[in-house]
């Protein structure tokens, strides 16, 4: 019995020795982060004053200049805006208005899809409903759409249940499940054959263009009052090209209730007229998309680096307070806290505010390729920074508070993370998820074999991201305050270790 107890104790002690908690610094971080938090002010500036930040837009350029000045104000060093790829032409929406004027007046809620053109002046247009799935369906509309606005998508079904219930916080039982069970891998069934008769959105829009349609109306959101819409089909393929944008038809995404109202009126064979005006600004030359970086330089191990970050780019219809302005505000606040408590980290701590995440993790991927490389990818190879990189911490799962952290299948960091979570048990930070999670900027690091992590977050606040409704008011400020404190502490402890954070063994 005694022997077992001794073994247990010594195991715990070894764990603590290797990954100790610096309680004094944690106390300072908590004090600064909770009693003198600036996160609400930072989030408000970004969402209220800067607004949406579509990758490579004028809006984004202005916001990046602000980020540099904010980093300097905090006291960060080596601040820079780093171009990462020839991205394409900038696109900004300058003005938009949409109204139904017949058979009844109503302001319609919507917005133009990114990288589509504006229209000449204010236009009154007749609306025609189309139902196009296959090539044969196209025939029905030949010669009938000139000068019209078309309802192009099928009427969306609104998820009333989700709207009523919202998303609750994780219960202790759910967290327990996450801690012990790997996420099941979805079974890979045989791929169903592609029906060659189906029409893609790109083909459908080309048909509309050839038929002389004036404006395409669509609705793809199943959430009440929320409009979801991204970039025109084909924009990624032609690299957000100016000519491609100007030659495309204008597309407007409309809220599901308004769209469905027009569908139902149309099905009664009652004519619908809308009035629409769209002004957009398209850049005159191709430009590089850029990331923003800043540092707290290290001391005896300053050539080694610990990173934290979040994507700064958003979709264009709202400031996207949850996706991912909240993540950016957390990372900036974490850096502010670390400077305010005057830590002297051994390793350099670097913040990255990525761009091009929404279009496919471009900013983080290009950054990893350039600075660290990827030994598993012969086209990229291993770069100088690969061996001196320690770890990257990212936030991009909404504005909910951290309840734990995912190991990203790296069992070697379990002990460190368990130890560093312990000062934050009272905040609900208790769970190690051994799973790998995806869909955001830690992935390019992880693919290169570098330790990179996402926190396990309550999925509360915001409007699910990518909508016209994602503003400051939807953000649980107390949640992101906690996140800034926790990530500041994790980054600090990573920067102070004798060794870099262990990497998983990739076979
Ligand atoms: Zn995001």
């Amino acid at each position: 019995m005694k022997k077992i107890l001794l073994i247990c104790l010594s195991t715990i002690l070894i764990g603590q020795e290797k990954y100790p908690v610096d309680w004094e610094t944690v106390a300072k971080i908590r004090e600064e982060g909770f009693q003198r938090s600036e996160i609400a002010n930072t989030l408000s500036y970004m969402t209220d004053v800067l607004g949406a930040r579509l990758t490579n837009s004028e809006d984004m350029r202005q916001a990046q200049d602000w980020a540099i000045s904010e980093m300097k104000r905090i006291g960060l060093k080596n601040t820079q805006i780093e171009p990462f790829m020839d991205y394409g032409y900038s696109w900004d929406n300058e003005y938009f208005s949409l109204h139904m004027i017949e058979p009844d007046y109503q302001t319609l809620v919507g917005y133009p899809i990114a990288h589509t053109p504006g229209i000449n002046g204010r236009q009154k247009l007749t609306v025609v409903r189309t139902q196009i799935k296959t090539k044969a369906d196209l025939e029905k509309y030949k010669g009938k759409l000139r000068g019209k606005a078309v309802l192009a998508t099928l009427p969306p079904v609104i998820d009333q249940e989700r709207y009523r219930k919202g998303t609750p916080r994780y219960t202790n039982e759910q967290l327990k499940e996450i801690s012990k069970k790997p996420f099941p891998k979805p079974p890979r069934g045989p791929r169903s054959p592609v029906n060659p008769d189906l029409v893609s959105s790109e083909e459908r829009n080309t048909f509309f263009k050839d038929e002389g349609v004036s404006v395409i109306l669509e609705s793809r959101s199943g959430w009440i009052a929320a409009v979801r819409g991204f970039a025109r089909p084909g924009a990624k393929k032609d690299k957000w090209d100016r000519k491609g944008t100007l030659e495309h038809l204008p597309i407007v995404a409309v809220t599901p209730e308004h769209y469905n109202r027009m569908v139902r009126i149309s099905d009664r064979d009652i004519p619908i007229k809308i009035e629409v005006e769209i002004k957009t600004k398209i850049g005159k030359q191709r430009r590089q998309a850029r990331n923003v970086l800043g540092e707290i330089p290290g001391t005896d191990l300053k050539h080694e680096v610990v990173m934290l970050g979040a994507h700064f780019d958003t979709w264009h219809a709202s400031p996207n307070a949850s996706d991912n302005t909240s993540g950016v505000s957390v990372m900036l606040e974490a850096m502010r806290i670390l400077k305010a408590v005057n830590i002297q980290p051994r390793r350099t701590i670097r913040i990255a505010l990525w761009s091009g995440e929404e279009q496919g993790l471009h900013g983080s991927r290009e950054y990893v390729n350039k600075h660290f490389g990827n030994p598993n990818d012969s086209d990229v190879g291993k770069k100088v920074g690969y061996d001196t990189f320690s770890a990257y911490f990212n936030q991009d799962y909404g504005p909910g508070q951290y309840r734990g952290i995912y190991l990203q299948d790296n069992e070697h960091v379990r002990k460190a993370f368990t130890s560093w979570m312990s000062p934050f048990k009272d905040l609900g930070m208790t769970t190690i998820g051994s799973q790998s999670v995806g869909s955001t900027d830690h992935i390019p690091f992880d693919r290169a074999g570098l330790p990179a992590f996402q926190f396990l977050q309550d999925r509360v606040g915001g409007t699910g991201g990518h909508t016209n409704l994602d503003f400051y008011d939807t953000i649980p400020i107390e949640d992101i305050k906690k996140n800034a404190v926790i990530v500041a502490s994790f980054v600090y402890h990573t920067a102070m270790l004798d060794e870099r954070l262990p990497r998983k063994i990739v076979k």
Side-chain angles (χ1 to χ4, degrees), residues 132-143:
I132 297 169
K133 272 190 187 163
T134 63
K135 284 170 187 154
D137 293 333
L138 297 174
E139 293 300 317
K140 292 185 257 175
Y141 299 100
K142 274 210 166 138

Side-chain angles (χ1 to χ4, degrees), residues 170-171 175-176 178-179 393-395 397 400-408 414 417-418 420-422 424-425 427-435 437 453-459 482-483 486-487 490:
Y170 282 121
T171 61
L175 290 173
K176 216 178 210 172
I178 292 175
S179 75
F393 297 92
N394 190 71
Q395 179 180 324
Y397 290 167
Q401 75 169 75
Y402 298 163
R403 305 300 304 278
I405 188 163
Y406 293 106
L407 295 185
Q408 206 65 23
R414 183 184 285 273
F417 288 179
T418 305
W420 299 340
M421 278 202 310
S422 61
F424 305 109
K425 265 198 188 123
L427 306 182
M429 174 79 180
T430 55
T431 304
I432 295 280
S434 54
Q435 305 85 347
V437 289
F453 308 97
Q454 260 286 131
F455 291 92
L456 159 60
Q457 293 178 256
D458 276 332
R459 303 306 293 261
K482 292 174 193 168
N483 295 356
I486 293 167
V487 74
F490 265 66

Side-chain angles (χ1 to χ4, degrees), residues 295-360:
E295 289 181 350
I296 301 174
T299 51
D300 64 317
L301 297 174
K302 62 172 179 285
H303 59 290
E304 298 191 2
V305 64
V306 178
M307 291 187 69
L308 67 166
H311 70 87
F312 200 37
D313 64 297
T314 67
W315 283 107
H316 57 291
S318 74
N320 286 271
S322 62
D323 186 13
N324 189 14
T325 315
S326 59
V328 171
S329 69
V330 163
M331 297 307 169
L332 282 171
E333 173 72 356
M335 288 300 259
R336 188 198 68 76
I337 293 170
L338 292 173
K339 279 301 292 179
V341 304
N342 197 26
I343 59 148
Q344 305 295 324
R346 300 186 66 190
R347 292 178 182 80
T348 294
I349 298 174
R350 184 182 301 155
I351 181 172
L353 304 183
W354 310 114
S355 185
E357 192 272 353
E358 296 290 11
Q359 291 76 19

Side-chain angles (χ1 to χ4, degrees), residues 7-71:
I7 291 166
C8 285
L9 260 177
S10 62
T11 316
I12 290 166
L13 282 175
I14 289 164
Q16 283 175 348
E17 269 165 29
K18 202 164 180 197
Y19 301 109
V21 173
D22 177 346
W23 287 92
E24 204 181 315
T25 303
V26 168
K28 287 183 192 164
I29 288 172
R30 286 181 71 123
E31 191 177 21
E32 183 64 30
F34 292 133
Q35 294 176 29
R36 291 179 288 278
S37 176
E38 292 184 12
I39 201 165
N41 184 41
T42 311
L43 182 75
S44 162
Y45 194 88
M46 282 193 283
T47 52
D48 297 333
V49 183
L50 299 177
R53 302 176 300 279
L54 182 69
T55 297
N56 222 15
S57 61
E58 291 293 335
D59 274 346
M60 179 56 145
R61 293 236 149 187
Q62 285 165 21
Q64 289 175 325
D65 289 343
W66 170 84
I68 288 286
S69 64
E70 179 63 7
M71 286 183 187

Side-chain angles (χ1 to χ4, degrees), residues 162-346:
R162 177 183 165 147
Y163 180 70
R164 265 198 306 273
K165 277 190 2 203
T167 311
R169 288 184 188 276
Y170 282 121
T171 61
N172 288 338
E173 286 68 38
Q174 285 172 317
L175 290 173
K176 216 178 210 172
E177 284 303 300
I178 292 175
S179 75
K180 64 180 185 201
K181 255 205 322 225
F183 291 136
K185 294 223 163 78
R188 271 198 169 171
R191 279 198 179 175
S192 46
V194 179
N195 179 350
D197 292 333
L198 288 180
V199 175
S200 70
S201 329
E202 224 173 323
E203 288 168 330
R204 191 197 58 201
N205 293 351
T206 305
F207 170 77
F208 287 150
K209 167 97 185 174
D210 294 344
E211 289 295 307
V213 165
S214 290
V215 172
I216 296 170
L217 302 173
E218 62 174 42
S219 188
R220 297 174 187 278
S221 150
W223 312 337
I224 284 178
V227 187
R228 292 190 104 204
F230 305 99
R232 71 175 152 83
K236 206 167 175 174
K237 231 192 287 172
D238 65 34
K239 289 190 78 187
W240 304 275
D241 185 40
R242 179 180 165 84
K243 194 162 161 266
T245 295
L246 288 171
E247 285 178 356
H248 203 275
L249 286 177
I251 310 176
V252 171
V254 182
T255 187
E257 306 90 308
H258 295 173
Y259 189 90
N260 288 351
R261 182 178 178 189
M262 287 190 279
V263 166
R264 290 188 298 267
I265 297 170
S266 168
D267 288 350
R268 290 173 185 271
D269 288 327
I270 296 171
I272 306 169
K273 271 216 163 76
I274 57 164
E275 185 187 87
V276 58
E277 186 170 3
I278 311 166
K279 289 181 197 160
T280 57
K281 196 160 122 194
I282 305 159
K284 293 270 177 357
Q285 57 206 20
R286 301 195 73 87
R287 283 204 305 211
Q288 296 256 312
R290 314 169 319 161
N291 297 318
V292 186
L293 301 131
E295 289 181 350
I296 301 174
T299 51
D300 64 317
L301 297 174
K302 62 172 179 285
H303 59 290
E304 298 191 2
V305 64
V306 178
M307 291 187 69
L308 67 166
H311 70 87
F312 200 37
D313 64 297
T314 67
W315 283 107
H316 57 291
S318 74
N320 286 271
S322 62
D323 186 13
N324 189 14
T325 315
S326 59
V328 171
S329 69
V330 163
M331 297 307 169
L332 282 171
E333 173 72 356
M335 288 300 259
R336 188 198 68 76
I337 293 170
L338 292 173
K339 279 301 292 179
V341 304
N342 197 26
I343 59 148
Q344 305 295 324
R346 300 186 66 190

